Amino acid sequence: DAGVTQSPTHLIKTRGQQVTLRCSPKSGHDTVSWYQQALGQGPQFIFQYYEEEERQRGNFPDRFSGHQFPNYSSELNVNALLLGDSALYLCASSLWHLQGNIYGYTFGSGTRLTVV
Amino acid sequence: AQRVTQPEKLLSVFKGAPVELKCNYSYSGSPELFWYVQYSRQRLQLLLRHISRESIKGFTADLNKGETSFHLKKPFAQEEDSAMYYCALRGSSYKLIFGSGTRLLVRP
């Protein structure tokens, strides 16, 4: 079991561009959450997807959007990139009906996005 | 407002010394509190949670609702304990709110 897989591992984009990050959840998981971790900070919740719908959203602008596919994989899209969007983006997967089980919450290694 | 505060960015101790990583939280209801650890070049992983009152790798943490704290403690630090430690809170919405983390450096 490969666990949560994120791609790419590193990415460099220019200010104003758009970026798409990808996440494959752990086998058997149906819920994907995205977090942004800026340098020197803890992860911040962006949003969560289940049944191809956004179920919860953190305090992030509309430039951040996502999608979940029928196979439960997910994409995070960021439009009009700003220098401040440079961060490690983490994906975490879980089972929707077992959200109370913290042990079922698995993080990926992340995608490091650098905006120049 | 829901918030987790870890006042120390870096904690450096010698091997065998006691360790206490501080965590304070702000939450109006009854939160679930957790400690996550990230070893060098590894993924973020759950260390322990307040509900189970367990000891993992010699670490313990007690929830003090009066002081709204959830400090992580270990009586004798080991070099392999060197890592980033994040305190996290989970409310009714199931999203995790993390602190900014404390880097623990255990010197030989």
Side-chain angles (χ1 to χ4, degrees):
Chain A
D1 182 3
V4 177
T5 305
Q6 292 188 244
S7 63
T9 54
H10 297 84
L11 200 53
I12 299 175
K13 288 287 190 178
T14 303
R15 189 172 47 184
Q17 285 188 315
Q18 179 264 346
V19 69
T20 297
L21 311 181
R22 296 176 176 81
C23 172
S24 292
K26 182 177 179 179
S27 178
H29 284 183
D30 57 12
T31 303
V32 172
S33 301
W34 286 92
Y35 288 79
Q36 181 196 65
Q37 186 173 16
L39 195 62
Q41 300 296 318
Q44 278 196 300
F45 177 78
I46 303 175
F47 42 52
Q48 181 187 64
Y49 276 83
Y50 170 66
E51 289 188 331
E52 303 178 48
E53 287 188 18
E54 183 182 291
R55 299 292 177 161
Q56 291 188 74
R57 190 178 183 92
N59 189 25
F60 278 80
D62 292 344
R63 297 187 298 108
F64 289 77
S65 63
H67 190 76
Q68 185 180 34
F69 299 93
N71 67 353
Y72 309 122
S73 66
S74 177
E75 288 182 350
L76 164 65
N77 300 294
V78 187
N79 294 321
L81 284 167
L82 303 174
L83 297 180
D85 295 331
S86 295
L88 180 68
Y89 289 85
L90 297 172
C91 171
S93 72
S94 57
L95 272 168
W96 179 260
H97 75 281
L98 291 179
Q99 289 201 79
N101 177 10
I102 193 64
Y103 291 108
Y105 203 71
T106 305
F107 280 90
S109 298
T111 293
R112 181 156 305 278
L113 172 65
T114 302
V115 182
V116 298
Chain B
Q2 302 172 14
R3 180 187 294 270
V4 176
T5 302
Q6 295 180 250
E8 304 142 326
K9 284 198 175 297
L10 172 65
L11 183 63
S12 180
V13 302
F14 286 102
K15 177 182 175 182
V19 170
E20 182 178 50
L21 302 173
K22 291 182 167 44
C23 172
N24 289 90
Y25 68 90
S26 173
Y27 185 71
S28 58
S30 295
E32 292 182 82
L33 274 297
F34 309 95
W35 278 98
Y36 276 81
V37 61
Q38 188 168 32
Y39 300 102
S40 179
R41 304 184 195 284
Q42 293 189 28
R43 305 171 185 220
L44 200 61
Q45 55 186 288
L46 179 67
L47 180 62
L48 55 79
R49 55 179 185 160
H50 87 272
I51 291 178
S52 54
R53 301 182 63 82
E54 58 206 340
S55 173
I56 303 294
K57 299 183 179 182
F59 285 98
T60 59
D62 289 320
L63 179 61
N64 185 324
K65 292 186 178 181
E67 295 183 359
T68 59
S69 68
F70 187 55
H71 303 328
L72 183 68
K73 300 177 183 179
K74 184 170 183 176
F76 307 103
Q78 303 299 314
E79 289 181 67
E80 55 266 29
D81 296 329
S82 295
M84 279 295 298
Y85 291 81
Y86 294 96
C87 182
L89 173 157
R90 187 170 71 174
S92 58
S93 66
Y94 292 117
K95 69 181 181 184
L96 288 168
I97 298 168
F98 288 88
S100 56
T102 297
R103 179 171 297 281
L104 175 63
L105 179 61
V106 181
R107 299 176 183 275

